Amino acid sequence: MKEVMLAFLGSYCPAILFNIERKNLVWAGLCGAAGWTAYKLVIDLSGSGIFAVFIAALVISFLSEFMAKIFKTPATVFYIPSLFPIVPGISAYYTVLNIINGKITEAAYVGLETVASAGAIAFGILVMTTIFKYINTRAMYKKGQ
Amino acid sequence: MVIKMEVKEVLNIALLSGEILLTSGSEIYRVEDTIERICSVYGIKCESFVTPTGIFISGLAVNNPSESVSLIRRIRNRTINLHNIELINTFSRDLQNSTLSYDEAMKKLKSIEAGPYFSFARRLGAAGVTSFAYAILFKGSLFDGLLTGVIGMLIYSILEKMKNADISQYFRNFICSFTAGVMSVFIGSLISSLNVNSILVGSIMILVPGLAITNGIRDALHGDILSSQARIAEALLIVTTIGVGVGAALLLMKYWM
């Protein structure tokens, strides 16, 4: 619970730095908190960090696109702050730390994990955006008829 | 009611909207979409080509093919201001319902450009709380978090100072992550119970290039290969500069301590 609160803060505050509409701040924060909750749940169930990141990215993009539809704002507004908690910052840091300490094997291992998490985030966004794009074009096509 | 307008004037409106979008950190497809939507409202056929560093538009009056205008705008500075993207989005949507005259539209765009921004104090506070939250999230104690918040605020104010002095983004990130590294290790050596790792990671979280990564992916998805590659390369460069900054700080402190 404490972590979810922190994840909320961790999305709410970057959103202020990116200057988003005030009434959307809370939603961006909630989106980030939901992403972190999904991440934690999946990591407890499956034990795979990269899979958890992927699921979290899916949840975040779903919520962002969904809110963008409701509030009629660009989805980017929610995406960027709410991805903050699951960005692999800590493993990127350990990569650098291991390189500094001359532990190249560990550095390569953690580095690969960092790249894989980043890839998982990218793929999560990609899947969800494609689905929403498909729904949108379908809706427009139907309207046109 | 459609207001008659010169092609050049319409393109000026479209160009300014596109410019605001692009400098605020929008995706490419949104810029092109907005430009085309604005032109079509005034009955002008247009073709636009947008990259992260420039906008090219050429417009053609549908009823008078001899009247054609091309405009190019070079984009040099890019910041992150998601509020402007929202405002331009509503502006171009509203335009479809009620067309504005040239002066009205320009006035509105200018007011968006000079739009509200959170005050420096609030942004500083937000930077502090961001660092605080991430330090604790990455297994730091409450005390670690508070110290990280202070470092985060310091780094953010350095970042803003350098932004105002027009220092390149990469050098900015290097200096900030270097400062974060030196300060965290230094504080950690003074008070041995601290978790230096979480302090360091928490304080550099505000430098993460989230926008470049997200936009890189979204641009790729819409087929804007050029800008997607540019943005992913930008993100990698930023990550590298942060890594080099932290690495340099850690090395320095390792030999100095």
Side-chain angles (χ1 to χ4, degrees):
Chain A
M1 198 54 220
K2 193 182 97 190
E3 290 197 346
V4 175
M5 280 295 293
L6 287 171
F8 176 82
L9 278 181
S11 301
Y12 186 90
C13 293
I16 294 179
L17 297 184
F18 297 144
N19 190 32
I20 81 171
E21 173 76 67
R22 280 129 187 87
K23 68 180 193 314
N24 291 342
L25 280 173
V26 178
W27 297 106
L30 283 179
C31 203
W36 181 259
T37 315
Y39 172 76
K40 272 285 158 190
L41 284 179
V42 177
I43 213 170
D44 282 346
L45 287 175
S46 70
S48 161
I50 292 161
F51 183 61
V53 167
F54 172 68
I55 297 292
L58 276 186
V59 169
I60 287 170
S61 8
F62 175 76
L63 285 176
S64 304
E65 298 275 355
F66 188 67
M67 287 178 188
K69 278 235 156 320
I70 294 177
F71 298 123
K72 295 210 165 41
T73 51
T76 333
V77 171
F78 302 111
Y79 263 116
I80 295 169
S82 53
L83 283 174
F84 256 72
I86 59 166
V87 160
I90 193 108
S91 51
Y93 165 68
Y94 279 122
T95 315
V96 175
L97 191 67
N98 280 324
I99 291 174
I100 299 296
N101 291 329
K103 295 178 190 159
I104 299 302
T105 330
E106 278 97 329
Y109 179 75
V110 188
L112 203 63
E113 204 179 270
T114 312
V115 174
S117 316
I121 295 177
F123 192 61
I125 298 174
L126 206 137
V127 169
M128 213 31 105
T129 319
T130 313
I131 294 174
F132 268 86
K133 219 178 140 194
Y134 175 71
I135 295 173
N136 277 351
T137 32
R138 273 285 293 246
M140 264 155 81
Y141 183 69
K142 275 195 180 142
K143 228 188 235 170
Q145 271 188 335
Chain B
M1 189 187 73
V2 176
I3 295 171
K4 287 293 283 176
M5 212 187 270
E6 297 270 326
V7 179
K8 202 178 165 192
E9 289 178 336
V10 176
L11 287 196
N12 263 326
I13 296 174
L15 190 68
L16 186 57
S17 330
E19 191 189 347
I20 296 175
L21 278 180
L22 204 54
T23 49
S24 309
S26 163
E27 310 96 310
I28 297 298
Y29 81 92
R30 192 184 304 287
V31 182
E32 289 180 349
D33 249 24
T34 308
I35 288 173
E36 269 153 40
R37 200 182 297 160
I38 290 174
C39 286
S40 76
V41 166
Y42 293 106
I44 282 172
K45 240 178 96 152
C46 94
E47 204 56 59
S48 65
F49 176 64
V50 180
T51 70
T53 49
I55 302 177
F56 306 76
I57 320 178
S58 87
L60 194 72
V62 177
N63 47 10
N64 181 12
S66 63
E67 195 189 351
S68 94
V69 179
S70 296
L71 292 176
I72 296 177
R73 180 68 51 90
R74 179 82 166 80
I75 305 292
R76 290 180 198 283
N77 62 321
R78 272 162 289 135
T79 53
I80 303 175
N81 187 342
L82 299 178
H83 191 45
N84 276 358
I85 302 179
E86 289 173 76
L87 287 176
I88 295 284
N89 203 42
T90 26
F91 169 77
S92 72
R93 269 171 203 264
D94 290 346
L95 212 57
Q96 280 177 316
N97 300 328
S98 62
T99 42
L100 296 171
S101 74
Y102 178 73
D103 290 332
E104 282 170 345
M106 277 313 219
K107 218 173 111 190
K108 201 154 182 205
L109 285 175
K110 288 271 192 272
S111 77
I112 290 176
E113 210 177 10
Y117 211 81
F118 285 103
S119 66
F120 180 69
R122 283 182 75 177
R123 277 179 288 143
L124 195 65
V129 180
T130 308
S131 303
F132 165 79
Y134 283 109
I136 299 182
L137 208 55
F138 295 134
K139 305 190 173 54
S141 66
L142 192 67
F143 187 52
D144 292 341
L146 289 175
L147 282 176
T148 316
V150 175
I151 298 179
M153 275 156 75
L154 184 86
I155 287 172
Y156 189 73
S157 51
I158 296 176
L159 199 68
E160 284 288 292
K161 283 260 154 55
M162 292 209 284
K163 202 186 259 173
N164 294 338
D166 211 17
I167 291 167
S168 100
Q169 183 186 10
Y170 308 110
F171 192 71
R172 251 174 8 221
N173 281 321
F174 172 76
I175 292 292
C176 287
S177 54
F178 183 76
T179 318
V182 170
M183 286 194 64
S184 327
V185 179
F186 184 67
I187 290 177
S189 71
L190 290 182
I191 311 165
S192 56
S193 65
L194 294 178
N195 186 347
V196 176
N197 294 346
S198 28
I199 294 181
L200 221 169
V201 178
S203 50
I204 56 174
M205 270 314 269
I206 48 171
L207 303 173
V208 165
L211 182 101
I213 299 170
T214 325
N215 274 355
I217 300 162
R218 284 168 72 86
D219 280 345
L221 224 64
H222 286 89
D224 298 312
I225 303 173
L226 210 65
S227 61
S228 119
Q229 294 306 309
R231 274 182 169 140
I232 290 169
E234 188 190 0
L236 284 179
L237 247 172
I238 294 175
V239 170
T240 317
T241 47
I242 296 173
V244 170
V246 172
L250 288 177
L251 264 183
L252 181 78
M253 297 312 272
K254 197 172 150 186
Y255 290 114
W256 189 43
M257 287 292 166

